[in-house]
Amino acid sequence: MICMRICFVTSGTLADFSEKCAALRADVMCFSFQALGEVSYERELRGETALFEDVALLSKEKQNVVLCGCYTDARGVRRKSVVIAERGRILGVSDMANRLDSGEFRCGAGVKIFETGVGKIGVIVAEDLYFPRVAETISTCGAELAVCVFEGLNESLEQTLLRAQSFFYGVPMCLCAFGYAQASDIGGKLRFASPKSPCVYDFEREQEYHLVETRRRGFYRRKKSGF
């Protein structure tokens, strides 16, 4: 099988990592929300901050793919987001698609899959992990890997959901949260888990397809009369 090396950074800022881990190499680097913190689109556009540029520069320096959690602010509308860059270019920003109750963070639009040089990567942002249709959509659209960027974990809930959705939808999944990283395969088995930061996992690509047949009511159409 073809391997992809993934580095999880679950503590510290992006700047801290760049200074202390200059020699570390991986195909994909994933940072949780503490790496960038708050990102104002207005300040980024005015050149007052360059946080997204820092992500792009790291991906250029490492010649790889970098995913980084952050809290974006668009004229007062705050969202949980993940920015993804490859080899010096920002590929896009994926926002959390579902809002729980009346939380302070608003929902974004759509689920995103990014075509990269190391494969198709689907992004699950924070509490979107609680909504299985997000993982199902990522799988249906052909992602080879789903990466969930999370905040603090709720005991073993998120770890269990990650393994279950890997099994249900046949896509390997990785979790990068505050102080913890995990990976599960398409059989729902835990393949990697570590509280260390940074930590590295060699992911093996897996794809398996089955014909699933069901019977259900509905889709009724009247038979046309003869001519």
Side-chain angles (χ1 to χ4, degrees):
M1 294 184 180
I2 301 175
C3 289
M4 179 195 304
R5 173 157 287 193
I6 305 173
C7 173
F8 300 97
V9 185
T10 61
S11 64
T13 66
L14 194 72
D16 291 338
F17 175 83
S18 298
E19 292 175 5
K20 298 176 182 178
C21 303
L24 197 153
R25 291 288 179 266
D27 299 305
V28 178
M29 289 182 171
C30 187
F31 296 78
S32 189
F33 285 88
Q34 82 290 332
L36 285 187
E38 297 279 344
V39 179
S40 166
Y41 283 119
E42 287 185 88
R43 297 187 66 194
E44 286 281 297
L45 290 172
R46 289 199 298 262
E48 296 175 7
T49 60
L51 298 173
F52 282 179
E53 183 181 353
D54 290 341
V55 177
L57 289 174
L58 180 61
S59 72
K60 183 178 181 180
E61 176 190 338
K62 301 292 186 181
Q63 286 296 288
N64 65 1
V65 177
V66 175
L67 296 95
C68 196
C70 57
Y71 305 102
T72 54
D73 185 332
R75 291 178 176 261
V77 177
R78 299 179 72 229
R79 295 185 175 93
K80 295 180 183 180
S81 308
V82 173
V83 57
I84 180 167
E86 181 179 26
R87 297 174 181 267
R89 183 170 63 96
I90 296 290
L91 300 183
V93 178
S94 184
D95 299 321
M96 187 171 69
N98 298 279
R99 182 186 187 188
L100 289 172
D101 298 324
S102 57
E104 64 173 304
F105 295 98
R106 304 289 293 274
C107 60
V111 177
K112 294 183 180 180
I113 294 176
F114 297 94
E115 185 85 52
T116 74
V118 294
K120 290 183 178 180
I121 299 176
V123 179
I124 300 174
V125 184
E127 284 83 6
D128 276 349
L129 184 62
Y130 300 155
F131 297 84
R133 285 190 176 181
V134 174
E136 182 180 15
T137 301
I138 284 172
S139 175
T140 301
C141 294
E144 297 171 76
L145 174 69
V147 177
C148 177
V149 179
F150 211 84
E151 295 169 293
L153 300 180
N154 180 18
E155 295 183 348
S156 61
L157 174 62
E158 291 79 20
Q159 296 97 312
T160 302
L161 288 174
L162 195 85
R163 294 174 61 187
Q165 292 178 28
S166 293
F167 173 75
F168 288 148
Y169 306 119
V171 58
M173 297 180 68
C174 294
L175 174 72
C176 183
F178 289 153
Y180 183 79
Q182 174 181 313
S184 56
D185 66 14
I186 60 175
K189 295 181 180 179
L190 180 66
R191 288 298 184 187
F192 172 82
S194 177
K196 296 180 181 180
S197 182
C199 55
V200 176
Y201 168 61
D202 289 326
F203 154 72
E204 294 183 345
R205 301 170 193 266
E206 295 179 287
Q207 287 187 336
E208 188 170 332
Y209 295 87
H210 297 272
L211 178 63
V212 179
E213 185 177 4
T214 60
R215 294 179 62 185
R216 59 170 293 181
R217 292 182 175 182
F219 300 100
Y220 174 72
R221 292 181 296 175
R222 291 185 178 277
K223 295 181 181 179
K224 294 181 179 180
S225 57
F227 292 94

